[in-house]
Amino acid sequence: MRRRILTLTAALALLATGCTAGSDAPEDGVVRLRFQSLAWQKESVDANRQLVEEWNATHPDVQIDYVQGSWDSVHDQLLTSFEGGEAPDIIHDASDDLADFAYGGDLADLRTLLPERLRADIPARSWETTTFGEGIYGVPFLQEPRVIIANRKILESSGVRLPTPEKPWTWTEFRQITQDLTRTMGSGRYAVAWPLKEPVSVSLNLGLSAGGRLFHREADGRATVRFTEADAVVTGTIHDQVVTDRTAPRTTLGSGGSDTLPGFFAGKYAMVPLGFAYRQQIAQQAPKGFEWTVLPAPAGDAGLTQGVSPQTLSIAEDSPYKKEAAAFLDFFLRPENMVRLARGDWMLPTGTTALADPSLHTARDGWATGAAVAERLRPAPAQSVRGYPEWKDKVATPAFQEYYSGAIDGAELRRRLVTDGNRVLARYQRK
């Protein structure tokens, strides 16, 4: 009886508002979609806002409301908004943050929504970063390789061989060069500064160059952590530069990339491994006459291969206007627009047409080096691992931080990542 009363009440409410059951049509005929962007650099914010304005000017029936989000809080903010039924229609994020939302049913499967043009233009390796199970839950559109930003004068005066994408340094060669450079630079100066406030992505993504993966899929499909000799190549190099060789300072281990730039400009560090987008800050903040160059990261047994977690655009499963949201994504990610977004963020597009744009292959500001490395970018090892955010925050981040500072040795690092890490992952993979 109670169910019949509720049904009758709902029907009367619909009649009173002039609506029909199942209708999502807005009263004024204008569909309004919220697009939460995480762009933060001025050029990037400007590019995003300009594209939204261009869409709105030509699509009066589908209007986009630009909402500013933050990389610092996006995961928790999305958790709260999904649980409260208030998620944005279009969501800007990174691929390594999508797994729990995809498996949790919060994001729409885009396979039937995206146009073939967009599907075909982005390589399969990039689509792998947003594929969970059988579905695709985000469009990977911007990618950022790790590179070495170097003081050109210090390196050229030392006589060391400058690496190129065709002939990069090996990790062994890189360690030796940092030893030689530190000796010639003098007291209180270092060949390299590692800003490792967020050490996990650096360790995992660069580790692919040496054949390390850390995460492995078992026969039953479950992800487990195994720390092999290949995983120890990059992590061991960083540890030895800081603890054994003293060619990298401990003081920068807790720093973000921007924190190392004043010392880099002052000649305290000859090189700083950074994400490709940091070139914008360097170009804008470097003192007059400062000469810098972009070098590829060292290569291991797998060459220049790096893991990458592209920036992504997703559609909320609860959005009543998925087709309209997908149409906006098609516009937003046209090749010429993808180039605008990439240049605004000083990153690289995933789309093959956009990546071929001549403006992304100039020597100026290292664009050509990044474009060459882009061919070797692969999905980050943890892309589809459920529980990765908790594993990263509670296990891996403190373990790597202590290892790189010398507080624990390699055996203890292995124990924490494997034993403690698998205990965390197991909770997310119970059947």
Side-chain angles (χ1 to χ4, degrees), residues 28-293:
D28 61 359
V30 178
V31 170
R32 288 181 170 81
L33 302 175
R34 287 188 300 148
F35 166 37
Q36 177 171 291
S37 170
L38 303 181
W40 62 277
Q41 300 185 93
K42 183 181 184 305
E43 291 179 53
S44 179
V45 172
D46 289 347
N48 276 262
R49 286 188 175 276
Q50 287 166 7
L51 287 173
V52 168
E53 290 173 3
E54 290 172 18
W55 167 276
N56 285 342
T58 55
H59 296 80
D61 295 336
V62 180
Q63 294 287 285
I64 305 297
D65 294 330
Y66 184 95
V67 179
Q68 187 62 60
S70 170
W71 285 108
D72 293 336
S73 59
V74 64
H75 184 81
D76 290 342
Q77 180 258 323
L78 286 176
L79 277 176
T80 302
S81 64
F82 283 132
E83 291 174 0
E86 299 179 349
D89 299 275
I90 301 164
I91 298 163
H92 183 187
D93 203 351
S95 59
D96 63 355
D97 192 42
L98 299 185
D100 290 345
F101 299 133
Y103 288 121
D106 298 313
L107 302 177
D109 184 351
L110 302 179
R111 286 177 297 172
T112 62
L113 295 170
L114 298 177
E116 180 57 29
R117 176 206 67 78
L118 187 57
R119 292 280 301 268
D121 192 50
I122 296 175
R125 65 177 180 272
S126 294
W127 286 116
E128 289 177 22
T129 66
T130 58
T131 299
F132 304 94
E134 298 296 322
I136 294 175
Y137 295 92
V139 182
F141 72 108
L142 291 180
Q143 53 191 349
E144 182 180 22
R146 297 264 173 188
V147 294
I148 295 176
I149 310 295
N151 184 315
R152 181 185 291 276
K153 288 184 178 179
I154 292 178
L155 263 65
E156 289 182 345
S157 64
S158 72
V160 303
R161 179 183 72 82
L162 294 184
T164 64
E166 296 73 30
K167 193 176 180 182
W169 288 330
T170 65
W171 285 99
T172 300
E173 187 179 7
F174 178 52
R175 183 183 175 190
Q176 182 61 56
I177 283 171
T178 58
Q179 292 173 345
D180 297 339
L181 272 176
T182 300
R183 282 194 294 268
T184 62
M185 289 176 66
S187 177
R189 303 170 77 196
Y190 300 88
V192 61
W194 284 98
L196 293 175
K197 183 178 181 179
E198 301 289 342
V200 181
S201 63
V202 176
S203 305
L204 268 63
N205 292 338
L206 288 181
L208 284 184
S209 68
R213 289 204 55 83
L214 206 62
F215 291 95
H216 300 264
R217 288 286 175 185
E218 305 301 332
D220 62 1
R222 299 189 185 192
T224 58
V225 181
R226 295 201 298 271
F227 191 90
T228 67
E229 290 185 8
D231 293 299
V233 172
V234 174
T235 56
T237 299
I238 298 172
H239 170 274
D240 290 346
Q241 286 174 328
V242 175
V243 178
T244 306
D245 305 336
R246 308 290 178 87
T247 58
R250 279 188 175 88
T251 53
T252 65
L253 293 178
S255 302
S258 299
D259 300 325
T260 62
L261 296 185
F264 177 60
F265 295 147
K268 187 174 182 179
Y269 322 121
M271 299 179 285
V272 185
L274 292 169
F276 198 54
Y278 276 96
R279 295 170 306 123
Q280 182 188 39
Q281 291 185 54
I282 294 170
Q284 293 176 346
Q285 299 173 15
K288 186 176 181 179
F290 183 83
E291 297 182 16
W292 56 281
T293 188

